[in-house]
Amino acid sequence: MLLLLIISTFCCLEVVHTHPENQKIGGVTQVEPLVTLEEKIWVAGDADVSHYRIPLLTYTPKNKNLLAMAEARKYATSDAGSKFLAIRRSNDGGYSWKPQQFIENDGSIFDGISLGSVVVDDELGNIFIVFSRCNHYEKCNISTLYYVKSTDDGYTWNNPVNMSMSIGTKAFAAGPGSGIQLKNSKYNGRLLVCGHGTLDGDGMFCLISDDHGDNWRYGGMLKSIPYNTPKVSGDFIPDECQPIEMPDGSVVVNTRNQGHYHCHCRIIAKSTDGGETFPIDDVYFDLNLIEPAVAAGALFHNGVMYFTNPTSTSHRVNMTLHWSYDLGKTWNNSLSIWPNPSGYSTMTTIPGLDNSIYILYEKGRVSTYESLSFVKVDLHH
């Protein structure tokens, strides 16, 4: 009888299998990122274009598709030169891509289009691409900022709107990367695009729109030191940047450390007023995120912060995905994406599809300018 009771009790026990994806660290579900798809979606020489650079990537607000954007540099790799604004679309999560479209053509041979940031207005279902012209003052002297807008999920785009009419002609290069729409504070609905200035007048600057992109103004900034003065190595030069909204409604801007001030690592700025100000007391250097001075990807998704860059203090090599379970205080986890030459990167997710993040980055075997490669990373497998 005792033996039967023991057997009966054992048979009624529920066997619980603990999977890594169900484990939690600090209340955040643990992830196990794995690359499940990679494809070069732009290669130097495609469509008789010399090189493709400056990757942008976003979801579309209505159909939850993916849009990739790039500078199609017509004749050379130079930042200052004639370009198309190229765009490609995937309607199946990155498994296939429609042929590229050129939605802007600067038509010049000097200092044309400079990307730029893409920002989605989820409330109205619109997409903005922000770009500049004459940002390097190469045989021109007035920098102008524009946006193009799509109201049909990225299939068509309106004529460029001149943003410099309201913010002035001081050089402003958005991103490169993604702008954000604030959703976790009293500033809900606000569009925020952050970027940088010229090298002399450099710094991290943010633009704000509280009317769904009809009007823009300057918000918070973190100026270089010395400001409006020729720079030398070691100066404080915040540069290309990526804003992220945190769960408490604050905005963190992960920023390129152009002058390697203090370290070969990232500068982090924080705003608690929707991007209006970035107090110096809240600025710090993330010694764990080393960099060779480059535009990097940053993303907050389901309680986890992600960061991509070529993880080196001296060369653009070793594209790596890092993730943090404590809002970026520590970065103890990483995944190698490509160990060889790699440059700018950006990231996005598709709302409602929590299991994946998507990366677009500059990739090559000899140089970083050989291709733009799309990567799908599954977070639980």
Side-chain angles (χ1 to χ4, degrees), residues 107-358:
S108 66
I109 58 173
F110 302 119
D111 215 351
I113 293 167
S114 294
L115 280 178
S117 282
V118 58
V119 58
V120 173
D121 183 342
D122 284 305
E123 292 186 0
L124 297 188
N126 297 329
I127 308 169
F128 297 83
I129 303 173
V130 181
F131 64 94
S132 58
R133 291 183 181 175
C134 191
N135 201 55
H136 305 92
Y137 299 117
E138 181 73 21
K139 299 190 178 182
C140 56
N141 56 19
I142 298 177
S143 176
T144 309
L145 190 69
Y146 300 90
Y147 71 75
V148 289
K149 181 173 74 171
S150 175
T151 60
D152 61 1
D153 225 39
Y155 283 101
T156 62
W157 300 85
N158 68 352
N159 292 325
V161 176
N162 188 335
M163 300 170 70
S164 294
M165 298 293 290
S166 56
I167 68 167
T169 57
K170 178 186 179 297
F172 174 85
S178 298
I180 57 175
Q181 184 171 48
L182 303 187
K183 299 175 181 178
N184 299 326
S185 70
K186 68 178 182 180
Y187 304 99
N188 286 1
R190 169 174 288 181
L191 300 179
L192 187 69
V193 171
C194 299
H196 67 100
T198 62
L199 287 180
D200 286 353
D202 212 343
M204 183 277 290
F205 304 91
C206 292
L207 299 180
I208 288 171
S209 176
D210 286 316
D211 57 6
H212 299 284
D214 289 339
N215 296 280
W216 295 83
R217 61 180 173 85
Y218 274 105
M221 59 190 67
L222 186 65
K223 290 184 176 181
S224 61
I225 303 173
Y227 186 61
N228 271 343
T229 300
K231 298 298 191 291
V232 299
S233 179
D235 285 348
F236 179 66
I237 314 174
D239 197 79
E240 295 167 326
C241 56
Q242 175 61 56
I244 313 167
E245 187 182 23
M246 307 305 287
D248 64 358
S250 63
V251 174
V252 168
V253 183
N254 192 306
T255 307
R256 171 174 173 166
N257 187 355
Q258 177 67 24
H260 300 305
Y261 180 85
H262 185 72
C263 63
H264 289 249
C265 69
R266 304 290 289 185
I267 301 171
I268 310 298
K270 182 179 179 180
S271 174
T272 57
D273 55 11
E276 298 282 1
T277 62
F278 291 89
I280 197 68
D281 287 355
D282 293 325
V283 174
Y284 69 96
F285 299 87
D286 195 327
L287 300 177
N288 293 308
L289 297 181
I290 64 172
E291 71 152 5
V294 70
L299 178 71
F300 186 83
H301 177 62
N302 281 352
V304 182
M305 187 175 288
Y306 299 92
F307 177 80
T308 53
N309 80 332
T311 303
S312 166
T313 58
S314 57
H315 296 89
R316 291 183 179 178
V317 296
N318 191 27
M319 181 58 61
T320 303
L321 171 67
H322 306 264
W323 61 98
S324 169
Y325 297 113
D326 56 8
L327 306 181
K329 295 182 180 67
T330 60
W331 299 88
N332 298 320
N333 308 279
S334 65
L335 173 69
S336 177
I337 303 295
W338 177 246
N340 298 317
S342 41
Y344 285 23
S345 61
T346 188
M347 283 187 287
T348 194
T349 58
I350 299 178
L353 300 180
D354 296 338
N355 192 49
S356 300
I357 59 175
Y358 307 91

Side-chain angles (χ1 to χ4, degrees), residues 18 43 49 58 70 79 92 145 165 173 182 185 212-213 249 315 327 356 358 363 372 377 380:
T18 303
V43 176
V49 169
T58 190
D79 289 341
D92 57 8
L145 190 69
M165 298 293 290
L182 303 187
S185 70
H212 299 284
H315 296 89
L327 306 181
S356 300
Y358 307 91
K363 176 181 184 177
L372 294 183
V377 178
H380 307 286

